């Protein structure tokens, strides 16, 4: 049996920390797991954003022992309504409704505030004995039998496997010479938290407006998180408005169905794009999360895709360790890539098509999509198939996403 060395994870956000905890639990204490990220020094996190976490990923967090800390601050999504209208339309007829549970008492998704999730993951990682280093990975050199990793603080680590969880602008991906396929949308997602007078009752709303989707996602208390798509130019204009002008733009889109509304933080615009790495692996290197793929937030699946990478990579590595294999050897990494790349491409095609179909003022397209939404709404088996798909419970699901320990 080969001597097992460390696994180094570059990037200590959602994907990197979740993988570290999963590996530590599956491999035991003999194989050191190191997470390096300068952002680890910024605790507690101040990230004001929130993320829709689907049922399968909630099961992963529960199995990793993280969900207990997050649950009190998480808002179950009990149902979802979809409308399709112009900005000036007086009413927005509902074309599609999704009712919520994938299993009794288990909603298809929760809204989770990023800061609570990241802090819970970091605390769990620490408790499991993951070595957290608040420094960057500055370089690496792969050989057939290992990978030499150098951290920005000067530490050298001889590892079996290096994982790039360093986000969309991954330097590790670039250094490994892995190209990406994709494009920028001429769109930004404006993110802002809104307080409202009346309760949302756990209802999520997706309003397809001509500039793109305007999603109202329920948070605990009388608060919602918005992901509001505009062209990049309009998003820059809207986020630069003063509070009063911004309120007027917000109210025009949000409406008054939840009573008076108020922005609780400054709106921020995130430029939107789509890409998939041409390979998810290189010698002794695996890409996970946004380092491997970025998709449009139209279906709230970006991080959920990254967590599927986490569950699949952790499973193939732990299985390899049990068979006495070298954890970073090519066939272990190829199994990971086969598992994840096709699913990622399929999700990319789905989100690109949705965005094309719905961020569009064409009357013909509008008629076609509204007929489609109406048909789905009247076909319960089709609806439940979509819910299972959206909840991450279809296809070849890794064990952690089924709620099974590795
Ligand atoms: C507007 C918007 C709304 C979204 N809503 C949803 C949603 O509802 N549901 C969903 O599933 N997804 C959503 N997403 C997508 C989701 O936010 C991302 O997929 C997720 O944050 C990616 O996590 P990550 O851990 O892969 O990478 P990141 O969060 O980008 O983290 C990368 C980390 O790597 C570190 N790093 C970078 N370089 C180095 C280095 N050299 N050495 C060490 N560390 C390094 C960084 O400091 C950072 O901490 C949304 C995205 C946007 C833009």
């Amino acid at each position: 049996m080969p001597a097992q060395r460390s696994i180094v994870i570059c990037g200590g956000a959602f994907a990197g920390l979740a993988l570290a905890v999963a590996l530590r639990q599956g491999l035991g204490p003999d194989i050191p797991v190191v997470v390096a990220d300068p952002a680890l020094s910024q605790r507690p996190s101040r990230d004001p954003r929130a993320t829709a976490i689907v049922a399968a990923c909630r099961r992963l967090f529960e199995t990793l022992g993280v969900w207990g800390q997050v649950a009190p601050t998480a808002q179950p999504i009990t149902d979802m309504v979809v409308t399709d209208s112009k900005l000036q339309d007086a009413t927005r007829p509902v074309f599609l409704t999704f009712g919520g549970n994938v299993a009794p008492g288990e909603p298809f998704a929760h809204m989770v505030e990023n800061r609570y999730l990241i802090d819970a993951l970091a605390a769990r990682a620490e408790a499991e004995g993951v070595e957290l280093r608040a420094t960057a990975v500055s370089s690496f050199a792969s050989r057939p039998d290992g990978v030499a990793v150098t951290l920005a603080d000067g530490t050298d680590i001889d590892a079996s496997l290096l994982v790039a969880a360093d986000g969309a602008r991954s330097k590790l991906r670039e250094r490994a010479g892995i190209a990406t396929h994709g494009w920028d949308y001429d769109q930004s997602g404006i993110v802002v938290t809104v307080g409202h007078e009346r309760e949302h009752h756990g209802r999520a709303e997706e309003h397809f407006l001509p500039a793109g989707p305007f999603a109202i996602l329920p948070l605990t208390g009388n608060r919602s998180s918005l992901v509001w798509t505009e062209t990049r130019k309009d998003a820059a204009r809207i986020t630069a408005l003063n509070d009063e002008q911004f309120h007027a733009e917000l109210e025009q889109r949000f409406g008054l169905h939840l009573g008076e509304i108020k922005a609780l933080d400054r709106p921020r615009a995130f430029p939107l794009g789509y890409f998939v790495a041409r390979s998810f692996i290189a010698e002794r290197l695996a890409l996970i999360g946004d380092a491997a793929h970025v998709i449009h937030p139209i279906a709230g699946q970006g991080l959920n895709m990254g967590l599927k990478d986490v569950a699949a990579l952790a499973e193939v590595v732990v299985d390899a360790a049990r068979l006495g294999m070298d954890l970073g050897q090519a066939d272990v990494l190829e199994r990971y890539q086969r598992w994840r790349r096709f699913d990622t491409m399929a999700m990319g095609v789905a989100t690109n098509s949705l965005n094309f179909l719905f961020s569009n003022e064409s009357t013909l397209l509008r008629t076609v999509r509204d007929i489609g939404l109406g048909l789905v709404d009247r076909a319960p088996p089709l609806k439940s198939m979509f819910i299972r798909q959206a909840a991450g419970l279809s296809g070849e699901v890794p064990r952690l996403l089924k709620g099974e320990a590795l």
Side-chain angles (χ1 to χ4, degrees):
M1 181 168 158
Q4 302 288 15
R5 279 156 296 159
S6 310
I7 297 179
V8 178
I9 300 171
C10 171
F14 306 105
L17 287 172
L19 179 70
V21 175
L23 289 175
R24 196 71 192 165
Q25 290 178 352
L27 296 172
D30 293 341
I31 300 175
V33 177
V34 181
V35 177
D37 187 336
L40 287 169
S41 63
Q42 292 151 27
R43 295 286 175 268
S45 162
R46 288 193 296 272
D47 188 340
R49 289 178 297 159
T51 302
I53 295 293
V54 302
C57 296
R58 190 204 58 79
R59 290 182 188 179
L60 169 136
F61 287 132
E62 190 162 309
T63 315
L64 297 186
V66 171
W67 187 249
Q69 192 176 328
V70 176
T73 59
Q75 169 65 49
I77 299 183
T78 50
D79 70 334
M80 179 159 183
V81 298
V82 178
T83 74
D84 185 9
S85 51
K86 294 192 176 137
L87 198 51
Q88 61 276 18
D89 288 352
T91 56
R92 292 189 187 153
V94 171
F95 280 96
L96 185 58
T97 55
F98 283 111
N101 288 353
V102 287
E106 186 179 12
F108 76 92
H110 282 78
M111 282 304 292
V112 172
E113 291 177 65
N114 288 9
R115 60 202 156 122
Y116 298 129
L117 181 57
I118 206 83
D119 288 346
L121 279 165
R124 188 76 244 152
E126 214 156 30
E128 295 284 351
V130 174
E131 206 182 310
L132 297 177
R133 308 284 293 261
T135 186
V137 169
S138 52
S139 65
F140 68 96
S142 302
R143 331 172 290 274
D145 64 337
V147 49
V149 182
T150 304
L151 305 185
D153 66 3
T155 313
D156 291 314
I157 305 173
D158 190 26
S160 299
L161 173 64
L162 173 63
V163 179
D166 51 345
R169 294 200 189 89
S170 171
K171 284 275 183 310
L172 262 53
R173 184 184 68 224
E174 201 179 296
R175 284 208 183 95
I178 300 175
T180 59
H181 161 77
W183 52 81
D184 288 333
Y185 298 107
D186 178 29
Q187 288 176 323
S188 292
I190 302 173
V191 176
V192 63
T193 311
V194 173
H196 34 78
E197 230 177 348
R198 288 202 281 276
E199 283 183 38
H200 46 52
H201 299 290
R203 166 168 288 192
E205 302 175 28
E206 181 113 76
H207 299 285
F208 289 116
L209 299 174
F214 180 88
I216 305 177
L217 303 158
L219 300 177
T220 51
N222 286 0
R223 297 178 306 143
S224 293
S225 173
L226 298 195
V227 181
W228 161 4
T229 312
E230 291 288 344
T231 61
R232 290 195 180 186
K233 194 163 154 240
D234 279 340
R237 177 185 62 78
I238 290 168
T239 49
L241 295 173
N242 67 31
D243 290 353
E244 202 180 316
Q245 293 163 329
F246 178 75
H247 183 85
E249 295 274 356
L250 176 66
E251 201 177 83
Q252 189 183 20
R253 291 160 181 82
F254 196 106
L256 290 169
H257 60 296
L258 294 178
E260 289 298 326
I261 56 170
K262 184 176 188 305
L264 299 179
D265 46 31
R266 278 300 302 165
R268 290 168 62 192
F270 294 83
L272 303 181
Y274 159 78
F275 75 77
V276 180
R278 292 215 182 256
S279 174
F280 282 15
I281 57 173
E283 190 175 39
R284 301 265 160 196
L285 178 74
L287 269 49
I288 62 169
D290 277 19
H293 44 73
V294 167
I295 59 171
H296 196 286
I298 193 164
Q301 292 286 344
L303 176 58
N304 290 292
M305 300 278 294
L307 293 171
K308 283 191 193 172
D309 302 341
V310 166
L313 183 60
E315 188 166 324
V316 301
V317 168
V318 169
D319 286 353
R322 290 193 182 131
L323 293 170
M325 292 162 74
D326 177 339
L327 307 183
Q329 74 185 47
D331 50 354
V332 175
L333 300 186
E334 271 154 20
R335 189 177 159 217
Y336 162 66
Q337 154 140 289
R338 274 196 304 277
W339 201 345
R340 290 301 306 138
R341 213 160 168 280
F342 178 74
D343 183 46
T344 304
M345 300 295 288
M347 181 61 83
V349 169
T351 50
N352 286 329
S353 312
L354 273 178
N355 190 48
F356 169 73
L357 204 58
F358 285 98
S359 302
N360 204 306
E361 283 195 88
S362 149
T363 311
L364 177 66
L365 274 183
R366 189 172 172 193
T367 310
V368 170
R369 70 199 182 208
D370 292 350
I371 292 172
L373 289 175
L375 285 176
V376 174
D377 202 42
R378 283 188 288 275
L382 209 54
K383 262 205 229 188
S384 79
M385 187 194 83
F386 279 131
I387 290 174
R388 287 196 75 72
Q389 186 87 31
L393 294 168
S394 57
E396 197 194 344
V397 180
R399 295 203 287 275
L400 283 169
L401 296 181
K402 290 191 254 181
E404 295 165 16
L406 287 178

